[in-house]
Amino acid sequence: MDCGTDERQYGHGGDGDAAEWKKVAELREFVEAQDPSAKEEDDFALRRFLRARDHNINKASVMLLRYLAWKRVTKPHGFISDDEVRGEIAKGRDRHQGFDRLGRPMSYLYGGRHFPVRRDHEDLKRYVVYVFDKICTKLLTGQEKFAAVIDLKGWGYANCDIRGYLAGLDIMQSYYPERLGRVFLIHVPYLFMAAWKIVYPLIDDKTKKKFVFVADRDLDATLRDAIDESQLPEEYGGKLKL
């Protein structure tokens, strides 16, 4: 399933000012003239690309056209099926359940369960797209962002995958703009910070602000402040069964 449902059926509902929606219309006209497949994207999707490029129509159009070309190659049938990523699913690196207090669907990623591959990262890239699309299917009407917890408990040198991290980051920033709301990094080992120093400069400024490192002493209070107990997994002291 593609990540963006057709939210035009709900109207703009006052979300965003008139000047912004006018720019969305201009962006649509410009991009559709070059790639008719843009007609399949709803206005909210176009607005996310526009916002990702600070409302610069020229820059947003380049980004959107690149996305449309990527989408045709990566998801020729409109989605990536479970069968295409069965091996990646079996690794149990992520779970997607519950919502934070802002109504954003939650994802839980376990860094200690990921191990780098010696070949290319095409399987991982395909799985990253599958995961993003899966998260987006959980978005409630009027909500465009998701939140995540990256649990690095047990993470060590054997789990370090700079190429994989950069591949996932590129997919998120290039093809799923303005989807990420907040990421909590927990149980962070000192060794991880060496990898983070490599990845961090390649994160755009807006996205950098969305990563929050949580000290163990603050973990319970931080998660409970962001997520209601009924939506917080049992492994973190809540009542939600994953």
Side-chain angles (χ1 to χ4, degrees):
M1 183 176 292
D2 195 10
C3 190
T5 55
D6 188 359
E7 298 178 67
R8 277 182 290 187
Q9 61 184 303
Y10 302 111
H12 294 157
D15 185 10
D17 59 32
E20 184 177 53
W21 288 119
K22 182 180 179 181
K23 282 200 168 188
V24 168
E26 292 174 6
L27 175 62
R28 177 175 296 284
E29 181 179 6
F30 184 80
V31 173
E32 286 184 1
Q34 299 181 66
D35 189 335
S37 70
K39 292 182 174 66
E40 300 173 7
E41 307 300 323
D42 61 57
D43 286 348
F44 290 87
L46 268 65
R47 185 177 65 170
R48 288 192 294 274
F49 281 90
L50 189 63
R51 287 179 171 180
R53 290 297 178 263
D54 296 319
H55 295 87
N56 183 304
I57 292 178
N58 288 333
K59 292 181 179 180
S61 67
V62 170
M63 186 183 191
L64 182 54
L65 287 167
R66 182 187 175 200
Y67 161 76
L68 294 171
W70 168 86
K71 181 180 174 182
R72 280 192 290 273
V73 174
T74 306
K75 298 186 286 185
H77 305 296
F79 65 95
I80 293 175
S81 68
D82 292 355
D83 288 339
E84 292 179 78
V85 292
R86 189 73 63 186
E88 298 296 319
I89 293 174
K91 295 176 182 178
R93 293 173 297 199
D94 54 275
R95 295 176 181 176
H96 313 280
Q97 196 168 340
F99 297 84
D100 70 5
R101 294 186 186 275
L102 297 179
R104 299 177 296 201
M106 291 296 306
S107 290
Y108 296 88
L109 313 176
Y110 302 92
R113 300 178 187 177
H114 174 75
F115 296 90
V117 295
R118 295 183 178 179
R119 58 185 185 281
D120 63 55
H121 284 72
E122 291 309 310
D123 288 345
L124 177 61
K125 291 178 182 178
R126 188 177 303 109
Y127 185 63
V128 169
V129 174
Y130 168 86
V131 167
F132 281 141
D133 284 353
K134 183 175 182 180
I135 296 170
C136 289
T137 64
K138 298 180 180 294
L139 291 167
L140 302 175
T141 300
Q143 180 58 259
E144 297 184 70
K145 298 180 184 291
F146 65 88
V149 171
I150 298 179
D151 192 336
L152 294 166
K153 187 175 183 179
W155 188 95
Y157 180 76
N159 305 110
C160 186
D161 186 9
I162 300 297
R163 289 176 58 210
Y165 302 154
L166 293 178
L169 180 64
D170 179 62
I171 290 171
M172 182 182 71
Q173 294 187 154
S174 299
Y175 309 123
Y176 295 85
E178 297 296 308
R179 281 300 196 186
L180 181 64
R182 181 64 59 88
V183 180
F184 294 109
L185 293 97
I186 67 174
H187 299 138
V188 182
Y190 180 77
L191 180 61
F192 177 79
M193 299 311 298
W196 182 250
K197 287 180 180 179
I198 298 174
V199 174
Y200 186 75
L202 299 175
I203 304 175
D204 67 53
D205 291 338
K206 288 184 179 180
T207 304
K208 285 176 180 176
K209 299 175 182 178
K210 299 175 182 180
F211 285 88
V212 179
F213 284 81
V214 182
D216 289 348
R217 66 178 179 275
D218 301 323
L219 179 58
D220 184 69
T222 299
L223 292 184
R224 288 180 180 276
D225 183 61
I227 308 167
D228 185 80
E229 184 180 44
S230 66
Q231 299 294 306
L232 185 65
E234 290 179 327
E235 65 181 304
Y236 301 122
K239 297 182 178 180
L240 182 67
K241 296 181 182 294
L242 289 179

